[in-house]
Amino acid sequence: MTKLLSLNDFETPARRRLPRPLFGYISGGTETTAARADNRAVFSEHRLVPRVLRGVEGRSLTHPLFGRDWQAPFGIAPMGIVALMARDGDVAMARAAQAEGIPYCLSGSSLTPLERVREANPDGWFQAYLPGEDDRIRALIERVRKAGHETLVLTADTAVLANRENNIRSGFSTPLRVSPRLLWDFGLRPRWVFGTFLRGLMTHGMPHFENSFAERGAPIVSQRAARDHGRKDHLNWQHVALIRDLWKGRLVIKGLLSPLDVAEARKLGCDGVILSNHGGRQLDYAISGVRALSVSREEAGSMALMVDGGIRRGTDVVKALALGADFVWVGRPMLYAAVIGGEAGVTKAIGILKHELHRDIGLLGLMSPTEVSAAHLETPPPPRG
């Protein structure tokens, strides 16, 4: 891994390691992939304004969130079916995050029981894909409470399944359909077959969706996996009010882009929101979460205003903070790192981003990410006419 110098460097070796359907699932967006592209494009529209001769010896990346000082202003975002991509990938990411002092959030679409992941990281968050069904909401919240989680993240932007043409083109499906094409694609990646898939089968058996509901979900090869999602299109703000009443820990809503929704989350007593277009995987042409920061800052009030999507460099973190974010989340690169090197790979990726950010803070003339403000961004010229 000595040749991996940036988060972008993890993608190519991960593509070489993974079967085509699995890499396509991770890397792809929806339809034209415009939403995913905007997650990166927005960062090129902003320039930084450094101060010099400030004396930056002894600077620190320590950053507060929810009453705790973390060792960097970024965390590992929730991602589904990680254990199919990287051997014991959920546990690997959880352990790396714990050791590096950054938050980690387990996906409700994971293939590893949330209780086991929490043992690996007692500070981990849990992200739920809840349907608009009161009984299932109550049951899952009780399970998460018993596991000992303190922060629950509700993803709100999956009411309807996205049109992910890329999955069809690459041969990925839910459930996984065993076909000559799938067997061929798997056979082309023997290192993944023997090092990840078969070792996982021998250790934990056929992967199941473990955390969709209070009970164990369907195997990834079962036809029930496609139907076992509940009434997500029925989920509404009344259900959020119910969740807020039931859940006594911190409640975060993920997948908001409109400041009106941010205001609604604040009114219902949520502790934070994550502005996100789901990695460009839901509504095509949806704006990036970073674009929604400025207009959402006032509506957020005292809530933690967080963002994900396209974070690849320390300067991306700086720009998001300057635009009003309290914290940022990184997704795909951390999964690619787990594919390549397990826990050591994720630790390497976290370290790269930390080192970049530590350098960038110093070059800006700052001692800490908490000092980043709008003053460090170039003010765009007013529109002509």
Side-chain angles (χ1 to χ4, degrees), residues 52-69:
V52 298
L53 301 176
R54 306 278 289 179
V56 293
E57 183 182 11
R59 61 194 180 279
S60 168
L61 294 184
T62 302
H63 199 76
L65 180 67
F66 292 142
R68 170 172 175 171
D69 285 337

Side-chain angles (χ1 to χ4, degrees), residues 7 61-65 69-77 96-98 100-105 125 306-308 311-318 320-321 325-331 333-334 346-358 369:
L7 293 192
L61 294 184
T62 302
H63 199 76
L65 180 67
D69 285 337
W70 299 92
Q71 296 306 303
F74 62 85
I76 300 179
Q98 178 79 356
E100 290 294 317
I102 65 170
Y104 163 78
C105 188
W125 301 13
M306 298 169 278
V307 68
D308 71 12
I311 303 292
R312 298 293 183 272
R313 289 284 188 178
T315 49
D316 298 338
V317 178
V318 168
L321 296 176
D326 294 311
F327 215 82
V328 305
W329 294 86
V330 184
M334 297 300 172
V346 181
T347 300
K348 170 82 170 181
I350 295 170
I352 287 174
L353 193 55
K354 277 185 175 181
H355 286 307
E356 286 187 1
L357 186 57
H358 191 259

Side-chain angles (χ1 to χ4, degrees), residues 114 126 139-149 151-152 247:
L114 63 90
F126 179 74
L140 181 60
I141 286 179
E142 178 61 15
R143 179 185 171 189
V144 177
R145 184 194 67 78
K146 286 183 177 179
H149 286 281
T151 303
L152 175 66
W247 180 254

Side-chain angles (χ1 to χ4, degrees), residues 141-377:
I141 286 179
E142 178 61 15
R143 179 185 171 189
V144 177
R145 184 194 67 78
K146 286 183 177 179
H149 286 281
E150 297 180 356
T151 303
L152 175 66
V153 179
L154 172 66
T155 287
D157 59 355
T158 57
V160 176
L161 292 175
N163 183 25
R164 297 183 186 171
E165 298 169 3
N166 67 290
N167 286 352
I168 299 174
R169 299 182 198 281
S170 66
F172 182 88
S173 63
T174 303
L176 279 178
R177 295 183 178 89
V178 180
S179 65
R181 175 181 175 178
L182 186 69
L183 294 175
W184 175 261
D185 285 331
F186 280 13
L188 292 175
R189 296 292 185 268
R191 189 173 180 183
W192 172 85
V193 170
F194 293 102
T196 300
F197 184 65
L198 290 181
R199 289 184 68 176
L201 280 179
M202 291 186 292
T203 305
H204 304 294
M206 178 60 67
H208 284 61
F209 288 99
E210 298 284 357
N211 306 310
S212 297
F213 304 113
E215 66 278 6
R216 192 184 199 193
I220 58 172
V221 294
S222 169
Q223 290 297 323
R224 188 163 60 90
R227 303 188 301 269
D228 202 7
H229 296 293
R231 300 173 63 195
K232 287 186 180 178
D233 58 354
H234 186 56
L235 189 69
N236 57 57
W237 286 109
Q238 291 180 346
H239 295 110
V240 176
L242 172 64
I243 295 167
R244 177 70 286 179
D245 183 59
L246 295 171
W247 180 254
K248 304 308 178 184
R250 290 183 290 267
L251 178 61
V252 174
I253 309 294
K254 178 180 180 291
L256 309 185
L257 291 172
S258 167
L260 300 177
D261 287 336
V262 174
E264 193 67 28
R266 176 175 51 81
K267 291 175 186 176
L268 290 175
C270 295
D271 299 286
V273 297
I274 301 176
L275 303 178
S276 171
N277 65 14
H278 212 102
R281 297 164 64 84
Q282 282 300 106
L283 176 65
D284 200 16
Y285 289 100
I287 64 170
S288 71
V290 171
R291 290 193 192 279
L293 276 169
S294 298
V295 294
S296 298
R297 182 67 269 177
E298 183 175 350
E299 298 293 352
S302 61
M303 290 193 307
L305 184 65
M306 298 169 278
V307 68
D308 71 12
I311 303 292
R312 298 293 183 272
R313 289 284 188 178
T315 49
D316 298 338
V317 178
V318 168
K319 291 174 184 179
L321 296 176
L323 289 166
D326 294 311
F327 215 82
V328 305
W329 294 86
V330 184
R332 288 180 177 97
M334 297 300 172
L335 179 46
Y336 293 146
V339 169
I340 297 168
E343 182 180 345
V346 181
T347 300
K348 170 82 170 181
I350 295 170
I352 287 174
L353 193 55
K354 277 185 175 181
H355 286 307
E356 286 187 1
L357 186 57
H358 191 259
R359 183 181 297 109
D360 296 333
I361 292 298
L363 290 172
L364 281 167
L366 305 176
M367 294 295 293
S368 165
T370 59
E371 298 177 358
V372 176
S373 71
H376 298 103
L377 285 183

